[in-house]
Amino acid sequence: MKRLILASRNRHKLNELRTFLRNIPLEVVAIDEVAPELALIEDGETFRENALRKARAVFKRTGELSLADDSGLEVFYLNGRPGVSSARYAGVGTTDENNNQKLLAEMQGVAPRRRGAQFHAVLALVGKNTEEFAEGICLGVLGEEPRGTNGFGYDPIFIPDGFTRTYAELSAEEKNQISHRSKAFAKMREILLRHLSSDVGV
Ligand code: ITT
């Protein structure tokens, strides 16, 4: 079976991606299983640029089909911040909790109708003669305080549209039905299946 190398070191993202990839005839391998020393550098200005850089780095190192995710939370009141800096909003090597606290402090006193936000994910697939992208967005609002213990990152402070619960109060199955990453993956799934059936560039 052909292998797909996941260009991510975020175990939560890896779990979500593995779930989405369950029924696709590819052997899924995380980058740390094949090249733990490889640096995945994210110094681009867009999710697309960063996802492409990560997938290209892994393809260059392994010569195998590589999939990367770059994602984050965009708060409209803050002109899209934290955006591409989501993982390191409160500083490089910080915790999810610190990122959430920083964001909540910046949004303190902002009225509910001005707390709109979106989670945004871009997936990049790189192989021989292949560079493809898929994007997904989930609209919602920023909560007033963290709620829930599921998931990771900004999940405890993001309430997706149509829900009163945060992402962190949804089960993994519920989140995976509506999330930015699942929407991006639904498109990537088509791309992967097309490549597998034609075998072009994979
Ligand atoms: P890799 O680059 O190794 O994949 P990373 O965590 O550094 O892992 P990103 O640079 O794409 O990945 O940063 C994404 C950050 O955005 C992530 O650390 C969270 O803070 C946030 N984020 C993305 N998707 C999320 C989700 O589904 N739930 C909560 N937070 C999320």
Side-chain angles (χ1 to χ4, degrees), residues 6-19:
L6 297 181
S8 174
R9 296 200 158 94
N10 179 320
R11 69 186 170 87
H12 303 278
K13 275 191 197 179
L14 289 168
N15 283 341
E16 292 186 7
L17 291 170
R18 282 184 189 280
T19 301

Side-chain angles (χ1 to χ4, degrees), residues 109-128:
V110 176
R113 67 186 162 75
R114 302 178 75 189
R115 299 178 76 87
Q118 66 184 23
F119 260 119
H120 192 158
V122 176
L123 295 171
L125 180 74
V126 174
K128 189 153 65 78

Side-chain angles (χ1 to χ4, degrees), residues 147-150 155-156 159 164-171 174:
R147 287 196 334 246
T149 52
N150 298 330
D155 282 352
I159 304 163
T164 52
R165 287 173 293 158
T166 66
Y167 257 4
E169 293 176 304
L170 302 183
S171 66
E174 285 175 309

Side-chain angles (χ1 to χ4, degrees), residues 12 17 21 33 35 46 70 73 76 82 91 94-95 106 109-110 119 127 131 135 164 168-169 173 184 191-192 200:
H12 303 278
L17 291 170
L21 284 157
E33 296 172 56
T46 62
D70 205 66
L73 182 62
F76 305 134
T94 194
T95 61
E106 282 183 311
V110 176
F119 260 119
E131 287 194 343
E135 191 159 345
T164 52
E169 293 176 304
E173 293 73 28
I191 293 168
L192 282 169
V200 172

Side-chain angles (χ1 to χ4, degrees), residues 7-10 13 16 42 54 69-72 86-87 119 152-155 167 175 180-181:
S8 174
R9 296 200 158 94
N10 179 320
K13 275 191 197 179
E16 292 186 7
E42 306 169 79
K54 290 188 272 190
D69 165 299
D70 205 66
S71 49
S86 288
F119 260 119
F152 70 104
Y154 298 91
D155 282 352
Y167 257 4
K175 179 184 172 189
H180 50 306
R181 187 163 297 105

Side-chain angles (χ1 to χ4, degrees), residues 24-53:
I24 298 188
L26 282 166
E27 183 188 340
V28 179
V29 178
I31 185 59
D32 274 349
E33 296 172 56
V34 284
E37 80 296 343
L38 183 74
L40 298 177
I41 295 160
E42 306 169 79
D43 54 3
E45 284 174 13
T46 62
F47 296 120
R48 189 179 163 107
E49 245 178 277
N50 283 335
L52 184 59
R53 276 175 204 200

